[in-house]
Amino acid sequence: MAYETPNFAALLPAIATDLVVEERPIPVPGPGEILVRNHVIALNPIDWKRQAWGFLVPSYPAVLGTDHTGTIAVVGPGVTTLSKGDRVLGFPDGFLTGSHSHSAFQTYTVVSASLSTRLPASLSFQAAATLPTAAAYATLALFGVLNLPRPTTTGPTPKTGKGILIWGASSSVGAGSVQVAAKLAGLTVFATASAAHHARLRELGAAAVVDYHSPTAVAEIAAAAAREGVEIVYGVDAISEAATLRPTVEVLARFKGEGIRLVHSLPWPAELARPEGWEAVQVQGEQAFGERKELAEWLFAEKLTGWLEAGVIVPGAHRVVEGGLGGIQSGLNELKAGKVSSEKLVVEV
Ligand SMILES: NC(=O)c1ccc[n+]([C@@H]2O[C@H](COP(=O)([O-])OP(=O)(O)OC[C@H]3O[C@@H](n4cnc5c(N)ncnc54)[C@H](OP(=O)(O)O)[C@@H]3O)[C@@H](O)[C@H]2O)c1
């Protein structure tokens, strides 16, 4: 088969080393899989954490990366829903399986067809690349961990009269959760973010946004709930440090509720007491490839194209890091330094 280009990858030679761009074989899709000629790859905090700390990296040299968009180059056996040439986004499972072929930081990536989404013509590869991880985590958090009823229609879901707090709402996981909660789960959303992001978060569906730097943030959120006339029954902490979980728990403790009420994106900090009388549960992204695969397939293969076409889910802001695959390292350095605010770094391949 003739390919448009060889496969180059930003390879991680060993733990805590810089990425180097080298050629590696073009991966071959198996049954139910597609080979995507990547056009845009997005960078996530998990990428620098795997690079620096070596977790979920079973062998070196490794290929990292979870979010990609591009054009289907080859359709594997048994795939009937997608065709060669389709524009797609994908959520490949390399960060769980360790498979370098199923990882994003290269020219070609193999991904399950059922964890891929055909893109509306109006959506750019750059904008769409911001979506896979954010949409997956928001879906796993709300319809998986919190077990809220899934929407049956494409349009906005009617309000349930229940509220949710989303702490760190300007992060990509947070902004995805705001949209899913407000538009697809029928919840009234109370969000926290720096002031610069308040207008955008209200556009995405938040009823009220509070600056988390404010010393009275918890009281301001409670006052906003009183104004809206709803109880804040649930919470998602997209940042999940002790400094963010503490006020999130404080808010939820002001309202009634039982069972699982709070989703956190990282392990619970050892120094922080767990809430009493109700539960907090970590969302595990890798569940999209295992015990929650059905939910992830519902998102990517069944729903996301329609939600994007209808504007129910809107991609976040992005910034292109120059240098293609060779620019990934500088982008990961920026993420690690905590210099990125409310925009997804992407590279063009
Ligand atoms: N469990 C999993 O499988 C999983 C999956 C994905 C991500 N994660 C983790 O979830 C976290 C978020 O990931 P992401 O990709 O969404 O991050 P991101 O988009 O890079 O988040 C950046 C944003 O975080 C906000 N932020 C930083 N510190 C904050 C604080 N103390 N309080 C409130 N907001 C704060 C900033 O908001 P402002 O600009 O408004 O200040 C900034 O815009 C990361 O730690 C990531 O590793 C876990």
Side-chain angles (χ1 to χ4, degrees):
M1 186 172 308
Y3 293 95
E4 183 191 319
T5 161
N7 187 37
F8 290 97
L11 288 172
L12 176 63
I15 185 170
T17 55
D18 278 357
L19 302 180
V20 290
V21 178
E22 283 179 16
E23 188 172 348
R24 66 181 297 271
I26 295 178
V28 178
E33 296 180 328
I34 55 175
L35 179 72
V36 178
R37 162 62 170 101
N38 294 328
H39 293 307
V40 178
I41 295 163
L43 315 185
N44 284 292
I46 192 159
D47 298 316
W48 74 254
K49 293 175 185 178
R50 290 176 72 201
Q51 177 179 27
W53 304 333
F55 71 96
L56 297 171
V57 184
S59 67
Y60 294 93
V63 186
L64 307 179
T66 56
D67 292 351
H68 66 134
T69 58
T71 310
I72 298 180
V74 179
V75 172
V79 174
T80 56
T81 51
L82 295 167
S83 307
K84 184 175 176 180
D86 282 353
R87 301 169 71 251
V88 291
L89 65 75
F91 191 51
D93 65 5
F95 85 89
L96 174 67
T97 63
S99 162
H100 305 320
S101 297
H102 297 70
S103 298
F105 290 176
Q106 55 192 330
T107 321
Y108 292 93
T109 296
V110 171
V111 59
S112 168
S114 62
L115 296 176
S116 306
T117 299
R118 190 185 288 108
L119 299 179
S122 58
L123 191 58
S124 72
F125 286 125
Q126 286 80 358
T130 67
L131 287 164
T133 292
Y137 285 95
T139 301
L140 288 168
L142 290 153
F143 302 124
V145 177
L146 294 178
N147 201 23
L148 298 169
R150 297 186 207 177
T152 50
T153 62
T154 299
T157 302
K159 289 290 177 205
T160 60
K162 293 178 179 170
I164 187 168
L165 170 64
I166 297 179
W167 199 281
S170 66
S171 67
S172 50
V173 166
S177 300
V178 168
Q179 298 187 69
V180 171
K183 298 172 185 171
L184 299 169
L187 299 174
T188 301
V189 173
F190 302 89
T192 73
S194 291
H197 309 308
H198 289 195
R200 183 176 70 93
L201 289 166
R202 277 195 293 270
E203 275 172 31
L204 294 182
V209 193
V210 165
D211 190 336
Y212 63 85
H213 299 98
S214 164
T216 56
V218 169
E220 290 173 49
I221 295 162
R227 275 197 306 277
E228 295 290 328
V230 296
E231 299 262 305
I232 301 182
V233 182
Y234 303 114
V236 171
D237 185 339
I239 308 302
S240 297
E241 296 167 358
T244 62
L245 282 164
R246 192 173 289 113
T248 303
V249 168
E250 269 182 51
V251 170
L252 291 177
R254 291 182 174 219
F255 298 90
K256 291 191 202 72
E258 54 191 27
I260 298 172
R261 298 182 64 195
L262 173 57
V263 186
H264 46 105
S265 63
L266 294 174
W268 191 267
E271 67 270 33
L272 188 66
R274 284 194 159 271
E276 282 180 26
W278 48 271
E279 281 180 70
V281 172
Q282 185 185 349
V283 60
Q284 306 273 5
E286 50 272 37
Q287 290 184 343
F289 313 114
E291 58 193 281
R292 294 286 190 187
K293 189 162 186 201
E294 182 275 330
L295 181 56
E297 292 178 336
W298 172 80
L299 166 69
F300 287 110
E302 284 183 45
K303 294 292 177 191
L304 191 52
T305 302
W307 291 342
L308 292 169
E309 281 169 347
V312 174
I313 296 293
V314 180
H318 67 268
R319 170 160 54 93
V320 176
V321 178
E322 297 303 323
L325 293 169
I328 291 177
Q329 185 61 60
S330 70
L332 294 182
N333 293 345
E334 265 194 78
L335 280 180
K336 188 176 179 185
K339 289 183 183 164
V340 182
S341 171
S342 193
E343 62 185 358
K344 185 74 96 181
L345 301 186
V346 302
V347 298
E348 296 170 340
V349 186

